[in-house]
Amino acid sequence: MLSTEDIIGVMSAQGLRITDQRKSLAKLFAEREGYLTPKDVYEYMGKQYSGLSFDTVYRNLRVMEELGVLEQVVFEDGLKFRVGCSKEGHHHHHMICLQCEKTYPIHFCPMPMTDAPEEFQIVKHKFEVFGYCKNCRPDKCQDPASNKGKELGGGV
């Protein structure tokens, strides 16, 4: 995961002015595991910076995502951001638990398997898999060993 200094370094290298607000954003994401909604970030920042607009917060989140220091994911309940995974900008994708939002890397990219038509130019892609981790699975209370030898009723 990127540190506060890593995030600030990337922003600075891209010519962004490093304001106290941007430092606070970098620190918030570097020190927080998991995802934050734009509203979460706005409420956090509003405690420190009175008069800060939601648009300013959202614009900074988008800029930081474009620079690769934040990752953006669309969940069923809306858009969320989290700190980028690595300093190298290593291209990868994620499996994300819908309950606890724990994120697991996918160590290959399925893009080469995509059959894009010649008339379509791909410039960017995302691939996320949503499900439940072993601790959050709805069936976690059932012991698979206890079902051994039981017949399934009403077979087809």
Short mmCIF file of all heavy atoms in Angstrom, two decimals, residues 53-104:
data_model
loop_
_atom_site.label_atom_id
_atom_site.label_comp_id
_atom_site.label_asym_id
_atom_site.label_seq_id
_atom_site.Cartn_x
_atom_site.Cartn_y
_atom_site.Cartn_z
N SER A 53 -16.05 22.57 0.28
CA SER A 53 -17.22 22.08 -0.46
C SER A 53 -17.07 20.62 -0.84
O SER A 53 -15.96 20.10 -0.99
CB SER A 53 -17.43 22.92 -1.73
OG SER A 53 -16.49 22.57 -2.71
N PHE A 54 -18.21 19.96 -1.00
CA PHE A 54 -18.22 18.57 -1.44
C PHE A 54 -17.58 18.46 -2.82
O PHE A 54 -16.84 17.51 -3.09
CB PHE A 54 -19.66 18.03 -1.47
CG PHE A 54 -19.73 16.59 -1.88
CD1 PHE A 54 -19.45 15.58 -0.97
CD2 PHE A 54 -20.06 16.24 -3.17
CE1 PHE A 54 -19.50 14.25 -1.34
CE2 PHE A 54 -20.11 14.91 -3.56
CZ PHE A 54 -19.83 13.90 -2.64
N ASP A 55 -17.84 19.43 -3.69
CA ASP A 55 -17.26 19.42 -5.03
C ASP A 55 -15.74 19.42 -5.00
O ASP A 55 -15.09 18.72 -5.79
CB ASP A 55 -17.75 20.61 -5.86
CG ASP A 55 -19.21 20.46 -6.27
OD1 ASP A 55 -19.75 19.34 -6.20
OD2 ASP A 55 -19.81 21.48 -6.66
N THR A 56 -15.16 20.19 -4.09
CA THR A 56 -13.70 20.24 -3.96
C THR A 56 -13.15 18.88 -3.52
O THR A 56 -12.16 18.40 -4.07
CB THR A 56 -13.27 21.32 -2.95
OG1 THR A 56 -13.71 22.59 -3.44
CG2 THR A 56 -11.78 21.34 -2.74
N VAL A 57 -13.81 18.27 -2.56
CA VAL A 57 -13.39 16.94 -2.09
C VAL A 57 -13.49 15.94 -3.24
O VAL A 57 -12.55 15.20 -3.52
CB VAL A 57 -14.23 16.47 -0.88
CG1 VAL A 57 -13.98 15.01 -0.56
CG2 VAL A 57 -13.94 17.35 0.33
N TYR A 58 -14.62 15.93 -3.92
CA TYR A 58 -14.84 14.97 -5.01
C TYR A 58 -13.84 15.18 -6.14
O TYR A 58 -13.28 14.23 -6.67
CB TYR A 58 -16.27 15.08 -5.53
CG TYR A 58 -16.62 13.95 -6.46
CD1 TYR A 58 -16.90 12.68 -5.97
CD2 TYR A 58 -16.64 14.14 -7.83
CE1 TYR A 58 -17.20 11.63 -6.82
CE2 TYR A 58 -16.93 13.11 -8.68
CZ TYR A 58 -17.22 11.86 -8.18
OH TYR A 58 -17.50 10.82 -9.02
N ARG A 59 -13.58 16.42 -6.48
CA ARG A 59 -12.62 16.73 -7.55
C ARG A 59 -11.22 16.21 -7.17
O ARG A 59 -10.53 15.61 -8.00
CB ARG A 59 -12.59 18.24 -7.79
CG ARG A 59 -11.79 18.67 -8.98
CD ARG A 59 -11.94 20.15 -9.34
NE ARG A 59 -12.06 21.07 -8.21
CZ ARG A 59 -13.19 21.64 -7.81
NH1 ARG A 59 -14.32 21.39 -8.41
NH2 ARG A 59 -13.19 22.47 -6.77
N ASN A 60 -10.83 16.37 -5.92
CA ASN A 60 -9.53 15.87 -5.47
C ASN A 60 -9.48 14.34 -5.49
O ASN A 60 -8.45 13.75 -5.83
CB ASN A 60 -9.18 16.41 -4.09
CG ASN A 60 -8.53 17.77 -4.18
OD1 ASN A 60 -7.38 17.89 -4.58
ND2 ASN A 60 -9.28 18.82 -3.85
N LEU A 61 -10.57 13.69 -5.12
CA LEU A 61 -10.62 12.23 -5.20
C LEU A 61 -10.44 11.76 -6.64
O LEU A 61 -9.69 10.81 -6.91
CB LEU A 61 -11.95 11.70 -4.64
CG LEU A 61 -12.16 11.88 -3.14
CD1 LEU A 61 -13.59 11.49 -2.76
CD2 LEU A 61 -11.16 11.06 -2.35
N ARG A 62 -11.09 12.42 -7.56
CA ARG A 62 -10.98 12.06 -8.98
C ARG A 62 -9.56 12.28 -9.50
O ARG A 62 -9.02 11.44 -10.22
CB ARG A 62 -11.98 12.85 -9.83
CG ARG A 62 -13.44 12.60 -9.49
CD ARG A 62 -13.88 11.22 -9.80
NE ARG A 62 -13.79 11.02 -11.24
CZ ARG A 62 -14.05 9.90 -11.84
NH1 ARG A 62 -14.43 8.86 -11.16
NH2 ARG A 62 -13.93 9.78 -13.13
N VAL A 63 -8.95 13.38 -9.13
CA VAL A 63 -7.58 13.67 -9.55
C VAL A 63 -6.64 12.60 -8.99
O VAL A 63 -5.78 12.08 -9.71
CB VAL A 63 -7.15 15.09 -9.10
CG1 VAL A 63 -5.64 15.27 -9.21
CG2 VAL A 63 -7.88 16.15 -9.90
N MET A 64 -6.80 12.28 -7.72
CA MET A 64 -5.93 11.27 -7.10
C MET A 64 -6.14 9.89 -7.73
O MET A 64 -5.19 9.13 -7.88
CB MET A 64 -6.18 11.24 -5.59
CG MET A 64 -5.72 12.51 -4.89
SD MET A 64 -6.24 12.61 -3.15
CE MET A 64 -5.11 11.45 -2.40
N GLU A 65 -7.35 9.59 -8.15
CA GLU A 65 -7.62 8.34 -8.85
C GLU A 65 -6.95 8.34 -10.22
O GLU A 65 -6.32 7.38 -10.63
CB GLU A 65 -9.13 8.11 -8.97
CG GLU A 65 -9.51 6.74 -9.49
CD GLU A 65 -9.69 6.67 -10.99
OE1 GLU A 65 -9.97 7.70 -11.61
OE2 GLU A 65 -9.52 5.57 -11.55
N GLU A 66 -7.05 9.45 -10.94
CA GLU A 66 -6.42 9.56 -12.25
C GLU A 66 -4.90 9.43 -12.16
O GLU A 66 -4.26 8.90 -13.07
CB GLU A 66 -6.80 10.88 -12.91
CG GLU A 66 -8.24 10.91 -13.38
CD GLU A 66 -8.71 12.30 -13.83
OE1 GLU A 66 -7.86 13.21 -13.97
OE2 GLU A 66 -9.93 12.46 -14.03
N LEU A 67 -4.31 9.89 -11.06
CA LEU A 67 -2.87 9.78 -10.86
C LEU A 67 -2.45 8.38 -10.42
O LEU A 67 -1.27 8.06 -10.38
CB LEU A 67 -2.39 10.79 -9.80
CG LEU A 67 -2.50 12.26 -10.17
CD1 LEU A 67 -2.08 13.14 -8.99
CD2 LEU A 67 -1.65 12.58 -11.38
N GLY A 68 -3.43 7.55 -10.05
CA GLY A 68 -3.13 6.18 -9.67
C GLY A 68 -2.83 5.98 -8.19
O GLY A 68 -2.47 4.88 -7.79
N VAL A 69 -3.00 7.01 -7.38
CA VAL A 69 -2.73 6.84 -5.94
C VAL A 69 -3.97 6.35 -5.20
O VAL A 69 -3.86 5.83 -4.10
CB VAL A 69 -2.17 8.13 -5.28
CG1 VAL A 69 -0.81 8.47 -5.86
CG2 VAL A 69 -3.13 9.29 -5.40
N LEU A 70 -5.14 6.52 -5.80
CA LEU A 70 -6.38 5.97 -5.26
C LEU A 70 -6.99 5.03 -6.29
O LEU A 70 -6.82 5.23 -7.49
CB LEU A 70 -7.40 7.06 -4.93
CG LEU A 70 -7.08 8.05 -3.83
CD1 LEU A 70 -8.26 8.99 -3.61
CD2 LEU A 70 -6.70 7.35 -2.54
N GLU A 71 -7.68 4.02 -5.78
CA GLU A 71 -8.44 3.13 -6.65
C GLU A 71 -9.91 3.40 -6.40
O GLU A 71 -10.33 3.63 -5.27
CB GLU A 71 -8.11 1.67 -6.33
CG GLU A 71 -6.67 1.34 -6.63
CD GLU A 71 -6.26 -0.06 -6.22
OE1 GLU A 71 -7.11 -0.81 -5.69
OE2 GLU A 71 -5.09 -0.39 -6.41
N GLN A 72 -10.68 3.38 -7.47
CA GLN A 72 -12.11 3.66 -7.40
C GLN A 72 -12.87 2.40 -7.76
O GLN A 72 -12.54 1.73 -8.74
CB GLN A 72 -12.43 4.76 -8.41
CG GLN A 72 -13.89 4.99 -8.65
CD GLN A 72 -14.08 5.98 -9.78
OE1 GLN A 72 -13.68 7.13 -9.67
NE2 GLN A 72 -14.66 5.53 -10.86
N VAL A 73 -13.87 2.07 -6.95
CA VAL A 73 -14.69 0.88 -7.20
C VAL A 73 -16.15 1.27 -7.05
O VAL A 73 -16.51 2.01 -6.13
CB VAL A 73 -14.34 -0.26 -6.21
CG1 VAL A 73 -15.27 -1.44 -6.39
CG2 VAL A 73 -12.89 -0.69 -6.37
N VAL A 74 -16.98 0.76 -7.95
CA VAL A 74 -18.42 0.99 -7.86
C VAL A 74 -19.04 -0.22 -7.18
O VAL A 74 -19.06 -1.31 -7.75
CB VAL A 74 -19.04 1.23 -9.24
CG1 VAL A 74 -20.54 1.45 -9.11
CG2 VAL A 74 -18.39 2.42 -9.93
N PHE A 75 -19.50 -0.03 -5.95
CA PHE A 75 -20.20 -1.06 -5.21
C PHE A 75 -21.70 -0.91 -5.46
O PHE A 75 -22.13 0.09 -6.04
CB PHE A 75 -19.94 -0.90 -3.70
CG PHE A 75 -18.57 -1.34 -3.26
CD1 PHE A 75 -17.49 -0.49 -3.35
CD2 PHE A 75 -18.37 -2.61 -2.74
CE1 PHE A 75 -16.22 -0.88 -2.94
CE2 PHE A 75 -17.11 -3.01 -2.33
CZ PHE A 75 -16.04 -2.14 -2.43
N GLU A 76 -22.47 -1.87 -5.01
CA GLU A 76 -23.92 -1.78 -5.17
C GLU A 76 -24.49 -0.55 -4.49
O GLU A 76 -25.46 0.03 -4.94
CB GLU A 76 -24.59 -3.05 -4.61
CG GLU A 76 -24.31 -4.27 -5.44
CD GLU A 76 -24.86 -5.56 -4.83
OE1 GLU A 76 -25.28 -5.54 -3.65
OE2 GLU A 76 -24.85 -6.57 -5.53
N ASP A 77 -23.86 -0.12 -3.39
CA ASP A 77 -24.35 1.05 -2.67
C ASP A 77 -23.63 2.34 -3.06
O ASP A 77 -23.78 3.37 -2.42
CB ASP A 77 -24.27 0.84 -1.15
CG ASP A 77 -22.86 0.59 -0.65
OD1 ASP A 77 -21.96 0.31 -1.47
OD2 ASP A 77 -22.66 0.67 0.58
N GLY A 78 -22.85 2.31 -4.12
CA GLY A 78 -22.25 3.52 -4.63
C GLY A 78 -20.74 3.46 -4.81
O GLY A 78 -20.09 2.44 -4.57
N LEU A 79 -20.19 4.58 -5.20
CA LEU A 79 -18.78 4.75 -5.51
C LEU A 79 -17.95 4.85 -4.23
O LEU A 79 -18.34 5.55 -3.29
CB LEU A 79 -18.62 6.03 -6.32
CG LEU A 79 -17.26 6.39 -6.87
CD1 LEU A 79 -16.83 5.36 -7.92
CD2 LEU A 79 -17.32 7.77 -7.50
N LYS A 80 -16.82 4.14 -4.21
CA LYS A 80 -15.91 4.20 -3.06
C LYS A 80 -14.47 4.25 -3.54
O LYS A 80 -14.15 3.81 -4.64
CB LYS A 80 -16.11 2.97 -2.15
CG LYS A 80 -17.50 2.91 -1.53
CD LYS A 80 -17.65 1.73 -0.60
CE LYS A 80 -19.04 1.67 -0.02
NZ LYS A 80 -19.19 0.55 0.92
N PHE A 81 -13.60 4.79 -2.68
CA PHE A 81 -12.19 4.93 -2.99
C PHE A 81 -11.35 4.28 -1.90
O PHE A 81 -11.77 4.20 -0.75
CB PHE A 81 -11.80 6.41 -3.07
CG PHE A 81 -12.45 7.15 -4.20
CD1 PHE A 81 -13.71 7.71 -4.05
CD2 PHE A 81 -11.80 7.30 -5.42
CE1 PHE A 81 -14.31 8.40 -5.09
CE2 PHE A 81 -12.38 7.99 -6.46
CZ PHE A 81 -13.64 8.54 -6.30
N ARG A 82 -10.16 3.85 -2.28
CA ARG A 82 -9.18 3.36 -1.32
C ARG A 82 -7.79 3.66 -1.86
O ARG A 82 -7.61 3.92 -3.05
CB ARG A 82 -9.34 1.88 -1.02
CG ARG A 82 -8.87 0.99 -2.13
CD ARG A 82 -9.00 -0.48 -1.76
NE ARG A 82 -7.83 -1.16 -2.30
CZ ARG A 82 -7.20 -2.13 -1.71
NH1 ARG A 82 -7.60 -2.59 -0.57
NH2 ARG A 82 -6.15 -2.68 -2.26
N VAL A 83 -6.81 3.58 -0.99
CA VAL A 83 -5.43 3.86 -1.39
C VAL A 83 -4.97 2.82 -2.41
O VAL A 83 -5.40 1.66 -2.38
CB VAL A 83 -4.49 3.90 -0.15
CG1 VAL A 83 -4.30 2.52 0.44
CG2 VAL A 83 -3.15 4.51 -0.50
N GLY A 84 -4.11 3.26 -3.33
CA GLY A 84 -3.57 2.35 -4.32
C GLY A 84 -2.72 1.26 -3.68
O GLY A 84 -2.16 1.44 -2.61
N CYS A 85 -2.64 0.14 -4.36
CA CYS A 85 -1.96 -1.03 -3.80
C CYS A 85 -0.45 -0.93 -3.80
O CYS A 85 0.20 -1.42 -2.90
CB CYS A 85 -2.35 -2.28 -4.58
SG CYS A 85 -4.06 -2.76 -4.33
N SER A 86 0.12 -0.35 -4.84
CA SER A 86 1.58 -0.43 -4.92
C SER A 86 2.19 0.81 -5.52
O SER A 86 1.55 1.56 -6.25
CB SER A 86 2.00 -1.65 -5.74
OG SER A 86 1.58 -1.49 -7.08
N LYS A 87 3.47 0.98 -5.23
CA LYS A 87 4.23 2.12 -5.73
C LYS A 87 4.55 1.97 -7.22
O LYS A 87 4.69 2.94 -7.92
CB LYS A 87 5.54 2.26 -4.96
CG LYS A 87 5.37 2.51 -3.51
CD LYS A 87 6.72 2.52 -2.82
CE LYS A 87 6.54 2.52 -1.31
NZ LYS A 87 7.79 2.48 -0.60
N GLU A 88 4.67 0.76 -7.67
CA GLU A 88 5.13 0.52 -9.03
C GLU A 88 4.06 0.74 -10.08
O GLU A 88 4.34 0.71 -11.26
CB GLU A 88 5.65 -0.92 -9.18
CG GLU A 88 6.82 -1.25 -8.30
CD GLU A 88 6.39 -1.70 -6.91
OE1 GLU A 88 5.37 -2.41 -6.79
OE2 GLU A 88 7.06 -1.34 -5.94
N GLY A 89 2.81 0.91 -9.69
CA GLY A 89 1.75 1.05 -10.67
C GLY A 89 1.48 -0.28 -11.35
O GLY A 89 0.96 -0.32 -12.45
N HIS A 90 1.84 -1.37 -10.69
CA HIS A 90 1.65 -2.72 -11.19
C HIS A 90 0.18 -2.95 -11.55
O HIS A 90 -0.70 -2.79 -10.72
CB HIS A 90 2.12 -3.71 -10.11
CG HIS A 90 1.65 -5.11 -10.28
ND1 HIS A 90 2.12 -5.92 -11.27
CD2 HIS A 90 0.75 -5.82 -9.59
CE1 HIS A 90 1.52 -7.09 -11.17
NE2 HIS A 90 0.68 -7.06 -10.16
N HIS A 91 -0.08 -3.31 -12.79
CA HIS A 91 -1.45 -3.53 -13.26
C HIS A 91 -1.99 -4.83 -12.70
O HIS A 91 -1.37 -5.87 -12.85
CB HIS A 91 -1.45 -3.57 -14.79
CG HIS A 91 -2.79 -3.87 -15.36
ND1 HIS A 91 -3.79 -2.93 -15.39
CD2 HIS A 91 -3.30 -4.99 -15.89
CE1 HIS A 91 -4.86 -3.48 -15.93
NE2 HIS A 91 -4.59 -4.73 -16.25
N HIS A 92 -3.14 -4.74 -12.05
CA HIS A 92 -3.78 -5.93 -11.52
C HIS A 92 -5.25 -5.62 -11.25
O HIS A 92 -5.70 -4.49 -11.40
CB HIS A 92 -3.09 -6.41 -10.24
CG HIS A 92 -3.17 -5.44 -9.12
ND1 HIS A 92 -2.43 -4.30 -9.05
CD2 HIS A 92 -3.96 -5.44 -8.02
CE1 HIS A 92 -2.73 -3.62 -7.97
NE2 HIS A 92 -3.66 -4.30 -7.30
N HIS A 93 -5.97 -6.62 -10.84
CA HIS A 93 -7.39 -6.50 -10.55
C HIS A 93 -7.68 -7.08 -9.17
O HIS A 93 -6.77 -7.55 -8.50
CB HIS A 93 -8.19 -7.22 -11.64
CG HIS A 93 -7.90 -6.68 -13.01
ND1 HIS A 93 -8.45 -5.51 -13.48
CD2 HIS A 93 -7.08 -7.12 -14.00
CE1 HIS A 93 -8.00 -5.27 -14.70
NE2 HIS A 93 -7.16 -6.23 -15.04
N HIS A 94 -8.96 -7.04 -8.76
CA HIS A 94 -9.29 -7.44 -7.39
C HIS A 94 -10.54 -8.32 -7.29
O HIS A 94 -11.45 -8.20 -8.09
CB HIS A 94 -9.54 -6.21 -6.52
CG HIS A 94 -8.37 -5.32 -6.39
ND1 HIS A 94 -8.32 -4.07 -6.93
CD2 HIS A 94 -7.19 -5.51 -5.77
CE1 HIS A 94 -7.15 -3.52 -6.65
NE2 HIS A 94 -6.44 -4.38 -5.93
N MET A 95 -10.54 -9.12 -6.24
CA MET A 95 -11.74 -9.79 -5.75
C MET A 95 -12.08 -9.06 -4.45
O MET A 95 -11.19 -8.83 -3.62
CB MET A 95 -11.48 -11.27 -5.46
CG MET A 95 -11.25 -12.08 -6.71
SD MET A 95 -10.91 -13.81 -6.34
CE MET A 95 -9.17 -13.71 -5.92
N ILE A 96 -13.34 -8.68 -4.28
CA ILE A 96 -13.73 -7.85 -3.15
C ILE A 96 -14.90 -8.48 -2.42
O ILE A 96 -15.91 -8.83 -3.04
CB ILE A 96 -14.12 -6.43 -3.63
CG1 ILE A 96 -12.96 -5.81 -4.43
CG2 ILE A 96 -14.52 -5.54 -2.45
CD1 ILE A 96 -13.35 -4.58 -5.21
N CYS A 97 -14.77 -8.61 -1.10
CA CYS A 97 -15.85 -9.15 -0.29
C CYS A 97 -16.95 -8.10 -0.14
O CYS A 97 -16.69 -6.96 0.24
CB CYS A 97 -15.33 -9.57 1.09
SG CYS A 97 -16.64 -10.23 2.16
N LEU A 98 -18.18 -8.50 -0.44
CA LEU A 98 -19.31 -7.59 -0.35
C LEU A 98 -19.70 -7.26 1.09
O LEU A 98 -20.38 -6.27 1.33
CB LEU A 98 -20.53 -8.19 -1.07
CG LEU A 98 -20.41 -8.22 -2.59
CD1 LEU A 98 -21.50 -9.12 -3.18
CD2 LEU A 98 -20.47 -6.83 -3.17
N GLN A 99 -19.27 -8.07 2.03
CA GLN A 99 -19.62 -7.85 3.43
C GLN A 99 -18.58 -6.97 4.14
O GLN A 99 -18.88 -5.89 4.60
CB GLN A 99 -19.75 -9.19 4.16
CG GLN A 99 -20.14 -9.08 5.62
CD GLN A 99 -21.57 -8.62 5.80
OE1 GLN A 99 -22.45 -8.98 5.03
NE2 GLN A 99 -21.80 -7.80 6.80
N CYS A 100 -17.34 -7.43 4.20
CA CYS A 100 -16.30 -6.71 4.95
C CYS A 100 -15.42 -5.84 4.06
O CYS A 100 -14.60 -5.08 4.56
CB CYS A 100 -15.44 -7.71 5.73
SG CYS A 100 -14.39 -8.76 4.70
N GLU A 101 -15.56 -5.97 2.76
CA GLU A 101 -14.81 -5.22 1.75
C GLU A 101 -13.32 -5.56 1.73
O GLU A 101 -12.52 -4.82 1.17
CB GLU A 101 -15.04 -3.71 1.89
CG GLU A 101 -16.47 -3.32 1.64
CD GLU A 101 -16.74 -1.83 1.72
OE1 GLU A 101 -15.84 -1.06 2.11
OE2 GLU A 101 -17.87 -1.44 1.38
N LYS A 102 -12.94 -6.69 2.33
CA LYS A 102 -11.55 -7.14 2.22
C LYS A 102 -11.28 -7.38 0.74
O LYS A 102 -12.12 -7.89 0.01
CB LYS A 102 -11.33 -8.42 3.02
CG LYS A 102 -9.88 -8.87 3.00
CD LYS A 102 -9.60 -9.96 3.99
CE LYS A 102 -8.11 -10.29 3.89
NZ LYS A 102 -7.70 -11.24 4.89
N THR A 103 -10.08 -7.00 0.32
CA THR A 103 -9.73 -7.05 -1.09
C THR A 103 -8.56 -7.99 -1.32
O THR A 103 -7.57 -7.94 -0.60
CB THR A 103 -9.39 -5.63 -1.58
OG1 THR A 103 -10.53 -4.79 -1.33
CG2 THR A 103 -9.07 -5.60 -3.05
N TYR A 104 -8.72 -8.84 -2.32
CA TYR A 104 -7.69 -9.81 -2.67
C TYR A 104 -7.22 -9.53 -4.10
O TYR A 104 -8.05 -9.29 -4.98
CB TYR A 104 -8.25 -11.24 -2.63
CG TYR A 104 -8.82 -11.64 -1.29
CD1 TYR A 104 -10.14 -11.33 -0.95
CD2 TYR A 104 -8.05 -12.32 -0.37
CE1 TYR A 104 -10.67 -11.69 0.28
CE2 TYR A 104 -8.58 -12.70 0.86
CZ TYR A 104 -9.89 -12.37 1.18
OH TYR A 104 -10.41 -12.73 2.39
#
